[in-house]
Amino acid sequence: MATNFWELLQQHQGDLTKSGRTVADYLVQHAAEAQYLSISSLARECKVAEATVFRFCRALGFEGYHEMRIALAQWDEDGFYDMVEQHLAALREQYRDYVRADVFGQNPYFRYFRKFKKTYPVMMQFESVLLKGREFPRWNAVTAVPFLAELETHVLCGTHDVDCLMGPVELYQAEAREPFAGLRGDEVHTYPGDVTGRDAGGIIFSMIAGADERTCAREESRHVFYPVFGVPGQAPDALRSAQTRMAEYAALLAKDAQIACEWI
């Protein structure tokens, strides 16, 4: 099946309903913005039901909205994951004589998490993927970008959907255990002394507890920010390296992406 959105639209014009043509007309006129819209947002802009958008996607031969939007945005997931496999092979070669104490013993994040009696999650995913044969997560390329950067730099990163934020994000040091809905929907809490972020809707991350459920990036997310967390003793160049790598990976994945790096 052809994956060029415009070729498919031309081929299937005759298969579209009146409402489907309304969706098509909107995409023709607003393609640059539409690739970042959720299915509900696109339906709202077109003044049609979400089911109409879904049927439009199916009429063009896509399994669903996610596949249609990837084609619209001209994402190169195949090229991105080919790059991932090349980088993983290089990492396995680099760390074939891996000793945890040598690699993470003096890692400032390892020490930071140990202060809270926690295991550094990047170390665990590093060992799981590179040493124990766990498959690199492919269900969401948006979150695969920081995952690969973490494996390569050992720097803690995150992923949040900007469209789910409620106003600006405030960074602060938690003074008490503040509960919030964690990534999987279960209740987690901040830790006194830990770096924490919140918006008008509440806490969106804690370095120790991780991301929240409301703003975490999902498969359909297209307007995201990748926080890179620093800790005492971490060299600034390592943080910049993680930023640069993620910008390069995102540009490979979505060639028309608008990318900006900020230093706070």
Side-chain angles (χ1 to χ4, degrees):
M1 177 184 124
T3 56
N4 182 288
F5 174 82
W6 303 110
E7 290 180 4
L8 290 170
L9 181 59
Q10 185 175 15
Q11 292 171 15
H12 294 282
Q13 279 284 356
D15 301 328
L16 300 178
T17 63
K18 181 179 180 181
S19 297
R21 288 193 293 272
T22 298
V23 176
D25 290 344
Y26 180 87
L27 294 176
V28 169
Q29 297 175 43
H30 305 280
E33 310 98 277
Q35 62 181 291
Y36 301 108
L37 297 178
S38 65
I39 187 170
S40 58
S41 297
L42 178 58
R44 187 165 52 251
E45 292 293 329
C46 297
K47 297 181 174 57
V48 300
E50 288 185 27
T52 298
V53 177
F54 180 76
R55 286 194 294 271
F56 169 83
C57 298
R58 298 287 291 180
L60 267 61
F62 297 106
E63 291 185 9
Y65 184 69
H66 174 63
E67 291 76 16
M68 188 277 286
R69 192 163 59 170
I70 288 175
L72 179 64
Q74 298 182 334
W75 275 34
D76 185 10
E77 285 199 356
D78 290 340
F80 171 75
Y81 284 117
D82 285 346
M83 177 274 296
V84 167
E85 290 303 320
Q86 293 172 14
H87 284 228
L88 292 179
L91 286 171
R92 291 187 179 101
E93 176 64 23
Q94 179 181 351
Y95 292 101
R96 60 181 175 177
D97 299 319
Y98 171 81
V99 176
R100 176 186 285 186
D102 293 343
V103 177
F104 287 99
Q106 298 304 310
N107 181 287
Y109 296 93
F110 179 87
R111 297 198 302 268
Y112 183 85
F113 274 74
R114 187 168 57 184
K115 183 175 68 173
F116 293 92
K117 299 181 179 179
K118 299 292 182 181
T119 302
Y120 184 38
V122 170
M123 180 186 74
M124 300 305 292
Q125 68 193 31
F126 176 92
E127 294 179 349
S128 180
V129 171
L130 296 179
L131 304 177
K132 299 177 182 178
R134 173 192 168 192
E135 185 177 358
F136 184 92
R138 290 172 171 261
W139 67 273
N140 185 352
V142 170
T143 55
V145 167
F147 194 96
L148 179 60
E150 288 178 331
L151 293 182
E152 295 193 305
T153 67
H154 308 159
V155 168
L156 183 64
C157 307
T159 316
H160 294 268
D161 191 322
V162 175
D163 294 332
C164 294
L165 291 174
M166 300 173 65
V169 176
E170 174 192 7
L171 299 179
Y172 69 102
Q173 191 174 60
E175 297 181 354
R177 291 192 171 199
E178 304 173 60
F180 66 100
L183 184 63
R184 296 174 179 82
D186 53 331
E187 183 176 295
V188 296
H189 60 78
T190 62
Y191 290 77
D194 186 25
V195 175
T196 307
R198 62 188 172 197
D199 63 6
I203 295 168
I204 67 167
F205 65 72
S206 149
M207 276 187 62
I208 297 297
D212 71 325
E213 181 184 31
R214 172 170 56 89
T215 71
C216 66
R218 295 168 172 78
E219 189 176 14
E220 65 271 15
S221 299
R222 290 297 178 270
H223 187 196
V224 302
F225 81 96
Y226 297 124
V228 178
F229 300 98
V231 293
Q234 178 60 284
D237 285 349
L239 305 180
R240 293 191 178 93
S241 175
Q243 278 190 325
T244 300
R245 287 173 186 267
M246 287 193 289
E248 292 174 354
Y249 302 158
L252 173 61
L253 174 64
K255 293 178 172 55
D256 294 329
Q258 299 177 23
I259 301 171
C261 296
E262 299 290 340
W263 188 259
I264 301 176

